[in-house]
Amino acid sequence: MAPHGECCGGANHHHESDETGISYSLYTKINKENLECLNEAGEGSGKTVFKPWEERLNYEAFVESDADEELLFNIPFVGNVKLKAIKVIGEDSDTHPSKMRLFKNRPSMTFDDSSVKADQEFELVKDTSGFAEYTTKVVTFNSVNHLTLHFPTNFGAETTKIYYIGLKGEFTEAHHHGVTICTYESRPMPQDHKNPLTEFSQARLGQ
């Protein structure tokens, strides 16, 4: 018999599958080329867990930690994100992460940097289908261009496995034209700055 949480989660998933899939579409706004996962056993495997909601149960694509149970994801976005919630799917075993720490706009974090206070932390439950949703503090995560997720521990195994990480929220395109205009206008243009000596000489010649 399935655990109560899984059963309820399955029912909710069946009823809200399409809606949930649309809500958890921020994976399409990740700069996958520059996304990195520290301590991944297989190179590039960390990128595979950011996938469509419909593929969350694809257990062939997963990331497993290497030297110990820790995993750290540096996730750059192609614009600004208002992050509202996160889902994490793992196995029903001790390899499932037990804690998740969030850091906003701290590019290129390492495990050494993770000793600083996180912007938000969650105690995780074992979730094999995506029934658990971890709601973020929207005031804190309302303008995110880089998100770091640190999974420091699991439920007792030597390594940690994650099959899916879902990010829910709103996306806004990054606007660069304002900076370009400022740079252009701040550069002195010769025709905008007349030389007083030249004007004086021209006036003398005209007499």
Side-chain angles (χ1 to χ4, degrees):
M1 183 175 178
H4 176 69
E6 270 191 49
C7 176
C8 294
N12 290 337
H13 153 64
H14 181 72
H15 185 259
E16 302 173 358
S17 180
D18 293 340
E19 183 181 334
T20 304
I22 294 171
S23 299
Y24 278 85
S25 60
L26 280 183
Y27 71 94
T28 63
K29 306 304 181 183
I30 295 173
N31 181 346
K32 281 283 190 77
E33 185 177 340
N34 293 317
L35 184 153
E36 64 175 351
C37 177
L38 305 186
N39 196 37
E40 58 184 5
E43 185 176 354
S45 58
K47 298 179 181 182
T48 67
V49 302
F50 298 93
K51 50 194 173 185
W53 171 252
E54 294 75 19
E55 296 179 19
R56 70 194 185 284
L57 302 182
N58 173 13
Y59 296 136
E60 293 181 5
F62 65 91
V63 62
E64 184 173 6
S65 62
D66 186 15
D68 53 30
E69 74 276 17
E70 284 191 84
L71 285 170
L72 188 146
F73 295 85
N74 280 311
I75 309 163
F77 295 101
V78 295
N80 290 315
V81 166
K82 180 187 288 185
L83 184 66
K84 296 182 176 180
I86 300 178
K87 287 180 179 285
V88 180
I89 293 178
E91 291 182 347
D92 185 16
S93 71
D94 290 343
T95 64
H96 194 296
S98 61
K99 190 173 185 179
M100 176 173 62
R101 307 173 71 230
L102 278 59
F103 299 87
K104 169 190 172 183
N105 298 342
R106 290 174 176 263
S108 304
M109 278 190 70
T110 67
F111 290 114
D112 292 336
D113 302 321
S114 65
S115 59
V116 300
K117 180 178 173 60
D119 292 302
Q120 192 167 1
E121 296 188 2
F122 295 97
E123 297 294 329
L124 306 184
V125 296
K126 291 180 181 179
D127 186 353
T128 60
S129 62
F131 69 86
E133 183 173 84
Y134 304 96
T135 306
T136 59
K137 296 180 287 190
V138 179
V139 174
T140 302
F141 295 94
N142 65 352
S143 183
V144 182
N145 53 60
H146 187 283
L147 176 68
T148 301
L149 298 180
H150 179 215
F151 298 91
T153 59
N154 57 28
F155 287 91
E158 293 184 0
T159 61
T160 295
K161 276 187 182 180
I162 297 176
Y163 291 95
Y164 172 82
I165 296 177
L167 304 175
K168 176 182 178 180
E170 299 173 9
F171 175 78
T172 306
E173 295 283 353
H175 298 293
H176 299 294
H177 64 271
V179 177
T180 305
I181 292 171
C182 291
T183 304
Y184 175 79
E185 292 181 348
S186 66
R187 187 171 64 244
M189 305 300 288
Q191 62 268 30
D192 295 336
H193 301 275
K194 295 179 180 178
N195 189 326
L197 291 176
T198 303
E199 288 182 335
F200 178 73
S201 299
Q202 289 174 344
R204 297 269 304 194
L205 290 172
Q207 290 181 348

